Amino acid sequence: MLYRLHKSGYKAYLVGGGVRDILLGMEPKDFDVVTNATPEEIKRLFRNCRLIGRRFRLAHIVFGRDIIEVATFRGHHVEGNDKISKSNSAGRLLRDNVYGNIDEDAERRDFTINALYYDISDYSIHSYGGGVQDLEAGVIRLIGDPETRYREDPVRMLRAVRFATKLDLAIDEVTSAPIKPMAGLLKDIPAARMYEEVLKLFFAGKAAENYDMMRDFGLFAPLFPQIHTLIKGEPNGPAAKMLVEVMKSTDERVRKDKPVTPAFFYAAILWYCLRERAEEIALESGLSNYDAYFAAMGDVMERQCQTISIPRRFSTPAKDIWQLQLRFERSQGTRAFKLLEHPKFRAAYDLLLLRGKAEGGSVAKTASWWQKFVDANEDERTAIARANNKNGNRHRSNSRRRRRPANKKPKITE
């Protein structure tokens, strides 16, 4: 693809993360290309090309399941041309289809470690702003004035955190200083875009480190306001403990190459928000505990979707996982076999174990019973279930009201 662009008279370079990772001795996950050809010119050269984006116009070249992203050199903004570039009153870029040359493109990139261009014409690397030197020094540094760059795109604050943990680099002091005061700008980012950013932060094996750094910089609260309010009021409570356990568990699953899903992630971190909201609803409306939880599920998920848009294919299973939590205590005994067959049982069971660690007490006892039941073989499960039923029936028989004999009629008083 690079050679086709080159032979057609255009300049084309590998750019950004792919070049950076190779220099760090890491295996790149993908490659991006930058060129002086416009998106329309790229499309004419490649049949397997589709143009995407409104804020940033990009070309995607499709090779089977792989997609190579090709961008045209970005240029500097010129006032008065709203058709190709526009920013809001806070300085955030709303539209950015301004084309330029490689020098201007480098100045428009966020961090120096991403302003690296590999030239196929002479096999050289063009480093702008000291990108290679910053890699060698282990430093993440923004290109340009940090406040201006964060206002242009507040997501750069999250990217700084993610690159720091992923690449084991330190964020330069000048780059990090404005993050905490400007963290609130993330509230203005579209919820759909934040969903993708959260996947990158918490599903790549660095969830625990990213969580800690986000808390330090004040970046967690704008993304998860319900959870932030809960743990702020009770910093050592079960909600705070649950967050730590979820991040550790997610990282462990990534390391073991086990599947991780947003459905479980959101069900787990929002569980105590759900519990609090259910208690409020039960108190306000007089609904039963079970009905209050069902009413709260929609409220909690809707509030979270205001900052991070969670697709229905994940929000619906998350609610299933929540619903099963209400059945665990009531399903010990022979009912456990039926619950075991539920398609979301395993995810719900994993959440129960995390709740046991976070809460202790009766939840830990319930989690312990289910752990024995799940780990047992078929014969052992039957014995565990029957023993539980026997204990439960004895308790119920003692508290059962005595029946009136069937052949004895009640007295009628006049």
Side-chain angles (χ1 to χ4, degrees), residues 16 48 193-194 218-219 326 361 396:
N48 52 335
R193 187 180 177 201
M194 291 310 309
L219 297 171
L326 308 178
R396 283 194 294 272

Side-chain angles (χ1 to χ4, degrees), residues 292-350:
Y293 265 90
F294 265 83
M297 288 179 191
D299 286 359
V300 170
M301 194 60 73
E302 185 179 346
R303 290 179 187 179
Q304 184 58 63
C305 286
Q306 290 173 4
T307 54
I308 301 170
S309 181
I310 306 170
R312 190 168 294 179
R313 67 181 184 276
F314 298 125
S315 63
T316 299
K319 291 175 184 178
D320 291 339
I321 294 169
W322 283 340
Q323 186 264 337
L324 289 180
Q325 301 306 305
L326 308 178
R327 295 175 58 185
F328 276 121
E329 191 170 349
R330 296 185 294 112
S331 297
Q332 294 177 46
T334 51
R335 289 182 181 178
F337 289 99
K338 185 175 181 180
L339 192 60
L340 200 64
E341 296 172 359
H342 194 285
K344 290 292 176 287
F345 171 81
R346 189 72 210 191
Y349 166 70
D350 288 343

